[in-house]
Amino acid sequence: MDDLRLGLLLNAVSPAVGGVLVRGEKGTAKSTMVRALAGLLPSIGVVPGCRFACDPAAPDPQCPDGEHPGAPAGERPAFLVELPVGVSEDRVVGSLDLERALAEGVKAYEPGLLAKAHRGVLYIDEVNLLQDHLVDLLLDAAAMGRSYVEREGVSVRHAARFLLVGTMNPEEGELRPQLLDRFGLTVEIAATRDADERAEVVRRRLAYDADPAGFAARWDGRERELAERITAARELLPEVELSDLALRQITAVCAAFEVDGLRADIVMARTAVALAAWAGRTEVLEEDVRTAARLALPHRRRRNPFDAPGLDEEQLDETLAEHREPEEPDGPDGPEDDGPGDGGPDGGGPDGGGAPEPTDPSGPNGQAAPEGSDAPAAPPQQRPGGGRESAPVASEQPYRTRLFKVDGTGRGAQGRRSPAETDAGHTIRARRPQGRLARLHLSATLRAAAPHQAARGRSGRALVLRRDDLREQVRRGRESNLVLFVVDASGSMAARQRMTAVKGAVLSLLMDAYQRRDKIGLVTFRGAGAELALPPTSSVEVGAARLEQLPTGGRTPLEAGLLRAHEVLRVERLRDPDRRPLLVVVTDGRATGGKDALPRARRAAGLLAAQGVAAVVLDCESGPVRLGLARELAAHLNGDAVSLDELRAEGVASLVREARTTTMTRKAA
């Protein structure tokens, strides 16, 4: 919580830092901390009556409410504006003033939340769940400092510079990289594990519930002191000097961590200056640079999608030490006098030991396989369910896949994959209401009513409307899908090289689902039966972790795996009938365990095909002699089969898209 408190205060001192992204588990008072910031922000000067918070010292010449020449100065608190996850597009950017349009017949603009947040704080709780088209609007405003509104016959431009603060629970999915980079700082928080601290939290919460006014009064003095310190730091900020040495350390750290672009360098510089002002100093010290790096770089460093954000503090200290003043030979981390530190005749190579180790062919976590082997990962152990079990093996490095879509137009949950009619996408047309009117299409309604005004005896400027005039919006967006993986973890898949490749393929699909905000589930089968290793969830990171920990061995109960998948999809169809599923079966097609194991598995596949479930089979069969059982299974599923070699050559998502297109074509035929 100390980092969160510091990050918010630094933005209060210097709004140019660019806001804070707060990542943390549920129930850690993220929202409470952010909302408390509003009471500490200094007041702002405004032009009285201006709806866009123009500064009387420098009014916006393009302000829709006028240029305000010689306007008097007023003052009001800086607003903290909350942007709900389910907010509509017109509420964000503003729209035609309905009341004036209908009552007076005039075209007037009603400002949205971006206008209200100008020169204040825009707070988004659960920002990672924000719909894509709203993220696009925020990106435009954050990049330009202005909001451009072109809708319903209204054309408006106004200033929209705000402090962007967001909170999120990483278990519910990650944030788009473009928006992630717009947050100046990021902090990770978790609930304390200290019993005394937890007790104090509960004690204060109960005291607040018993007497909110009295509780606030007891802490009012502390808050006034904090607000006065923020004001003092703001006044000191222009006097803080960022020396060439400190700037060189900042740029060296950003280069060492290979962050994209130069925004990180600028944010780090602004943060270090704000830290110095907050400490009451006029000079940026190395400790300011180090703290700025911890806050500004974790979400910007290059990483795989399933890696948790973070910073190697040892590497950070080494980089700072390399760029200290050379006149400090006695310092604990000062440079040596006998030559450069990277390379030399005594070995170490040009990287001086600081470069990462080469990636092991068996996977990113460096668990190496015996070279050239197809042997089990570890000595097998006997399982109670029959067969022998091997320890989990590492996966190949996941690779990027191309987007695949579902043909047609769905009505599923908001996502980034398949075309769908949604509640919050872009308006593509108007229609008569189907049932209760949910989203009025104003301009279409006015056009429908306009020809009948004379016949209806209109007098004055107000329109005369009838129910038949009403039109609703039809919006087009994208939906997410349920991707259910059914993975064969039996003994026939246990060879290290094969399972490594299989896990790499599935992780690639998981990465694609992670980026498209799909819901995913994982069924595994081996030994005596099948289990739901991961119930359908939006937390793709959990799915990747379960896959990495997956042991192998035992018989191949393919029928049980398919029947378990059938049951999972049946339950999910009842819970969310609009979400369309995709079944991904990862197997070599073999089936063992009892009499007629293979025919029983094919009958189970027929059940799924009868339900119209789109399916693709990742054929994991290897070796010079291949039975083609996986391709026969795909035929019984009315899906397509793709070998692992084809996956790597063509791209997983492209092949799944082709499989789904084939399925839809067969249905149409």
Side-chain angles (χ1 to χ4, degrees):
M1 301 301 283
D2 290 338
D3 281 349
L4 173 55
R5 183 176 184 272
L6 179 60
L8 292 172
L9 290 172
L10 291 177
N11 275 276
V13 171
S14 175
V17 167
V20 187
L21 175 64
V22 187
R23 296 167 49 95
E25 59 193 27
K26 53 187 176 292
T28 48
K30 301 185 295 293
S31 301
T32 302
M33 289 278 284
V34 173
R35 293 186 178 106
L37 178 65
L40 302 175
L41 296 175
S43 299
I44 60 173
V46 294
V47 174
C50 177
R51 298 173 297 167
F52 301 88
C54 276
D55 186 350
D60 182 8
Q62 297 182 345
C63 177
D65 282 355
E67 297 184 12
H68 313 300
E75 191 174 284
R76 68 161 173 79
F79 290 155
L80 186 144
V81 178
E82 295 195 34
L83 195 151
V85 170
V87 69
S88 65
E89 183 176 342
D90 8 351
R91 188 69 189 98
V92 175
V93 298
S95 63
L96 189 66
D97 189 325
L98 286 174
E99 182 177 351
R100 297 190 63 187
L102 296 177
E104 304 174 23
V106 298
K107 183 171 66 175
Y109 172 67
E110 182 178 10
L113 295 177
L114 293 184
K116 188 177 181 181
H118 178 49
R119 302 177 67 202
V121 179
L122 183 65
Y123 170 49
I124 312 171
D125 194 13
E126 305 294 351
V127 63
N128 52 323
L129 303 182
L130 198 65
Q131 296 153 4
D132 278 353
H133 68 290
L134 299 180
V135 171
D136 294 338
L137 295 174
L138 285 179
L139 287 173
D140 287 343
M144 303 296 182
R146 305 192 69 83
S147 177
Y148 297 85
V149 185
E150 302 285 347
R151 55 187 299 120
E152 298 167 345
V154 174
S155 179
V156 172
R157 299 180 180 186
H158 65 82
R161 292 183 297 275
F162 43 79
L163 184 64
L164 185 60
V165 180
T167 59
M168 60 175 283
N169 182 352
E171 293 180 358
E172 297 175 343
E174 283 291 347
L175 201 59
R176 278 175 59 180
Q178 296 92 333
L179 184 57
L180 185 64
D181 191 47
R182 289 294 172 184
F183 287 96
L185 311 178
T186 184
V187 293
E188 292 272 344
I189 64 171
T192 177
R193 298 299 184 254
D194 183 271
D196 291 336
E197 290 182 355
R198 296 173 75 98
E200 181 61 21
V201 171
V202 175
R203 189 177 296 114
R204 293 188 188 183
R205 176 68 207 195
L206 295 177
Y208 173 81
D209 291 341
D211 182 11
F215 183 88
R218 285 197 299 274
W219 292 93
D220 186 58
R222 291 273 195 94
E223 290 204 348
R224 276 201 307 271
E225 291 175 6
L226 201 55
E228 290 170 0
R229 187 177 172 188
I230 291 173
T231 302
R234 278 194 173 190
E235 294 173 353
L236 184 62
L237 192 68
E239 302 177 22
V240 177
E241 178 186 357
L242 180 65
S243 65
D244 289 342
L245 173 63
L247 181 57
R248 194 160 55 249
Q249 286 184 315
I250 288 171
T251 55
V253 167
C254 292
F257 283 97
E258 298 183 343
V259 296
D260 293 328
L262 292 172
R263 184 174 287 119
D265 305 61
I266 297 171
V267 170
M268 266 192 69
R270 290 170 174 167
T271 305
V273 170
L275 280 161
W278 179 247
R281 289 185 270 101
T282 57
E283 181 185 3
V284 173
L285 304 181
E286 182 178 309
E287 63 189 70
D288 300 323
V289 175
R290 190 182 192 282
T291 303
R294 287 198 307 103
L295 296 174
L297 295 189
H299 61 304
R300 290 188 168 92
R301 69 176 181 84
R302 293 185 180 182
R303 61 187 180 94
N304 290 326
F306 302 128
D307 295 341
L311 213 60
D312 185 339
E313 298 205 15
E314 184 177 345
Q315 182 185 359
L316 173 60
D317 290 336
E318 290 176 356
T319 305
L320 291 173
E322 290 173 6
H323 293 81
R324 287 183 185 139
E325 287 284 6
E327 296 82 21
E328 297 181 1
D330 297 330
D333 297 314
E336 297 182 3
D337 297 330
D338 55 355
D342 52 345
D346 54 349
D351 295 324
E357 293 292 330
T359 303
D360 189 279
S362 66
N365 63 3
Q367 296 180 7
E371 189 171 349
S373 73
D374 203 21
Q381 301 175 350
Q382 192 69 29
R383 294 185 69 252
R388 300 172 75 82
E389 180 180 291
S390 298
V393 299
S395 68
E396 287 183 345
Q397 188 72 19
Y399 41 88
R400 186 169 297 276
T401 62
R402 289 177 290 177
L403 171 65
F404 62 90
K405 300 178 182 179
V406 181
D407 284 348
T409 303
R411 299 184 59 86
Q414 288 287 327
R416 298 174 180 166
R417 187 172 301 283
S418 306
E421 288 187 6
T422 63
D423 292 333
H426 295 289
T427 301
I428 57 173
R429 59 187 175 89
R431 68 183 178 194
R432 293 181 182 273
Q434 299 179 350
R436 183 175 177 274
L437 178 64
R439 301 175 299 275
L440 177 70
H441 195 300
L442 179 61
S443 58
T445 299
L446 297 180
R447 287 195 300 269
H452 309 293
Q453 296 305 297
R456 293 173 182 174
R458 172 185 172 184
S459 60
R461 304 186 68 178
L463 292 175
V464 180
L465 296 178
R466 299 285 187 267
R467 185 173 184 80
D468 288 345
D469 300 329
L470 297 179
R471 299 293 184 271
E472 70 176 1
Q473 301 174 22
V474 178
R475 297 180 177 179
R476 174 67 60 84
R478 286 186 286 174
E479 67 174 1
S480 63
N481 298 105
L482 168 60
V483 182
L484 181 62
F485 295 93
V486 181
V487 180
D488 184 351
S490 65
S492 65
M493 301 282 290
R496 172 181 287 275
Q497 288 183 346
R498 188 187 312 176
M499 200 61 194
T500 294
V502 167
K503 285 187 176 182
V506 178
L507 277 174
S508 299
L509 271 175
L510 280 171
M511 182 188 296
D512 189 64
Y514 161 91
Q515 294 167 341
R516 307 298 169 188
R517 292 189 176 174
D518 288 322
K519 201 172 181 180
I520 60 109
L522 177 63
V523 172
T524 63
F525 59 94
R526 63 191 177 97
E531 65 173 334
L532 182 60
L534 180 67
T537 176
S538 298
S539 181
V540 182
E541 288 180 334
V542 177
R546 298 282 172 88
L547 182 70
E548 288 285 3
Q549 298 165 6
L550 179 66
T552 57
R555 300 187 182 93
T556 312
L558 178 57
E559 177 196 21
L562 296 175
L563 291 177
R564 191 76 176 94
H566 181 271
E567 177 62 18
V568 170
L569 294 179
R570 184 189 68 81
V571 173
E572 287 301 307
R573 194 177 297 114
L574 295 174
R575 290 176 177 170
D576 189 357
D578 290 332
R579 189 185 295 271
R580 294 182 286 177
L582 168 66
L583 183 69
V584 180
V585 185
V586 185
T587 181
D588 57 8
R590 292 181 172 86
T592 60
K595 186 179 180 182
D596 298 329
L598 191 58
R600 293 201 312 270
R602 290 172 176 173
R603 285 195 294 270
L607 287 176
L608 290 161
Q611 295 293 323
V613 177
V616 61
V617 177
L618 300 188
D619 184 359
C620 305
E621 192 173 26
S622 62
V625 179
R626 304 192 181 190
L627 303 177
L629 296 176
R631 297 187 179 275
E632 293 180 15
L633 175 64
H636 284 84
L637 285 167
N638 283 342
D640 202 358
V642 179
S643 71
L644 291 177
D645 293 337
E646 291 170 331
L647 288 177
R648 182 165 296 280
E650 299 292 335
V652 176
S654 175
L655 293 168
V656 175
R657 178 181 58 198
E658 294 172 6
R660 300 203 66 175
T661 302
T662 303
T663 301
M664 299 298 292
T665 304
R666 290 172 181 168
K667 289 180 181 178

